[in-house]
Amino acid sequence: MVFLHGIGASLNYFGRNVPFFARSMRAIALDTPGFGASDAPDVTYTVPWMAGRIARFLELKGVGPATLVGNSMGGAASIGVALDHPEMVERLVLMGSAGLPIPEKPSPDLMKNLQYDFTLDGMRRVVSGLTGPDYVPPEEMIQYRYEIVDGPEARAALAAINAQTRTGTLNYPEERLATIKQDRKSVA
């Protein structure tokens, strides 16, 4: 099982999940390029590029076919791996995934992410857009997520991904998504 975080996070996002699942299977969380402790190459950050890097990681580690658990941007990258390297993917678990079709008029919660202004208050708005209306995140969580995207490399990666989201180039066409083998189990 491979855990892929969203933008504005790191492998620590799955800090409690990995030890739990590692009791019964190989469980890995990784920092996606440009975030957490990963390198931030000077490239144009696109979802297909990230998916390719993740597929290469799986190949080098001898992982696969794997269950990919992707949150937000990690979900979009997981979809990309499933589309371009289906032999490497056993299952997809998508949580608030990017990469899926979005309505012409984005929801207010999505807009909180797209309008992130690299401030602590901006991160509070982002987290509120990712969680339920009654959830009040601890200040430590806000600070943690803010610090992850406070460096120049992470800011550049986040800005590039948000620009793709705004223009709609982040989303996979529905015809391509339909090619992913499905055994649908949806949890609301």
Side-chain angles (χ1 to χ4, degrees):
M1 184 172 286
V2 179
F3 294 90
L4 299 163
H5 64 80
I7 55 177
S10 73
L11 62 84
N12 295 328
Y13 185 78
F14 294 106
R16 293 183 180 173
N17 303 94
V18 172
F20 177 84
F21 285 100
R23 290 185 231 156
S24 60
M25 66 183 68
R26 187 173 182 192
I28 301 169
L30 64 133
D31 282 327
T32 56
F35 296 98
S38 72
D39 290 338
D42 186 17
V43 299
T44 301
Y45 286 81
T46 65
V47 175
W49 178 83
M50 268 195 201
R53 301 287 52 84
I54 292 163
R56 181 74 175 132
F57 172 86
L58 297 175
E59 180 184 336
L60 290 172
K61 293 294 181 183
V63 176
T67 296
L68 302 182
V69 180
N71 173 243
S72 189
M73 182 55 53
S78 297
I79 292 168
V81 175
L83 288 169
D84 296 337
H85 306 277
E87 72 286 356
M88 300 179 106
V89 179
E90 181 179 13
R91 288 185 185 94
L92 284 177
V93 178
L94 304 175
M95 307 176 317
S97 185
L100 300 171
I102 58 174
E104 294 227 0
K105 183 178 180 195
S107 71
D109 289 335
L110 177 58
M111 292 308 297
K112 290 175 184 178
N113 286 304
L114 297 179
Q115 296 170 343
Y116 178 55
D117 59 2
F118 298 98
T119 66
L120 205 51
D121 282 337
M123 185 55 71
R124 282 188 192 90
R125 288 189 299 274
V126 167
V127 171
S128 77
L130 297 172
T131 58
D134 298 328
Y135 179 72
V136 178
E139 192 59 28
E140 299 82 42
M141 175 197 286
I142 302 297
Q143 187 68 37
Y144 158 75
R145 291 192 61 139
Y146 172 74
E147 288 172 3
I148 288 171
V149 295
D150 194 36
E153 296 90 0
R155 282 181 181 226
L158 181 59
I161 295 296
N162 277 345
Q164 290 177 58
T165 303
R166 280 189 213 94
T167 62
T169 57
L170 174 68
N171 307 319
Y172 294 100
E174 289 188 51
E175 303 78 40
R176 265 198 96 201
L177 291 170
T179 67
I180 297 174
K181 183 180 170 191
Q182 297 179 44
D183 178 13
R184 287 188 180 215
K185 293 181 183 170
S186 179
V187 177

